[in-house]
Amino acid sequence: MKGVAVDMREEELPLLDFDLIFASHVLYACRGNLKPVLEKVARSLRSGGWFCANHYAKTGSPMSTQTIASLEVITTFAGYFSHFIEPDILERKLKECGFGNFRRTWSDSGKGIMLVSAQKI
């Protein structure tokens, strides 16, 4: 097993037929250009491989509206559109890039962090 660090906004992912690609709290930085990033992911995964994205989601979140607003203010000051990516938006973009078999789970139910997994078809 080997991990590879890549800036998905600027660099291509290695074309190694990965079984799994995991992105944690980084896709929000690609929100305005999400589809090209997910296309890079698709090119690097073998057929049947999985992409898992761990990030904040508002839909069904146990966080208070004050907590959500605070995170959004901090993220805006850091220069990003939002720290949240709704699962429906992510799944729609993943589907456009050849993914299916979507799964959702709260990776930390107390903090509103959702894990969205999708399999390359």
Side-chain angles (χ1 to χ4, degrees), residues 2-113:
K2 176 179 161 182
V4 179
V6 175
D7 182 345
M8 296 186 338
R9 296 169 300 175
E10 304 293 331
E11 301 174 278
E12 286 293 323
L13 294 166
L15 301 177
L16 298 175
D17 290 329
F18 288 106
D19 294 313
L20 172 69
I21 294 178
F22 180 70
S24 183
H25 294 282
V26 296
L27 288 182
Y28 70 91
C30 309
R31 177 92 184 262
N33 216 11
L34 193 54
K35 188 174 179 185
V37 169
L38 297 177
E39 288 170 338
K40 291 178 186 182
V41 169
R43 286 192 295 270
S44 294
L45 277 173
R46 68 169 177 80
S47 183
W50 286 87
F51 175 63
C52 300
N54 189 52
H55 59 278
Y56 287 110
K58 293 178 189 175
T59 303
S61 174
M63 290 188 289
S64 69
T65 54
Q66 293 85 1
T67 300
I68 290 171
S70 296
L71 282 169
E72 291 290 54
V73 167
I74 292 167
T75 304
T76 301
F77 285 148
Y80 300 104
F81 173 75
S82 174
H83 200 82
F84 294 81
I85 299 177
E86 295 309 305
D88 291 340
I89 292 169
L90 181 56
E91 289 173 3
R92 185 175 67 246
K93 294 292 184 184
L94 283 164
K95 188 174 183 179
E96 292 172 11
C97 295
F99 288 88
N101 197 13
F102 300 104
R103 299 179 185 180
R104 298 178 187 178
T105 188
W106 292 102
S107 60
D108 187 336
S109 60
K111 295 184 180 171
I113 300 171

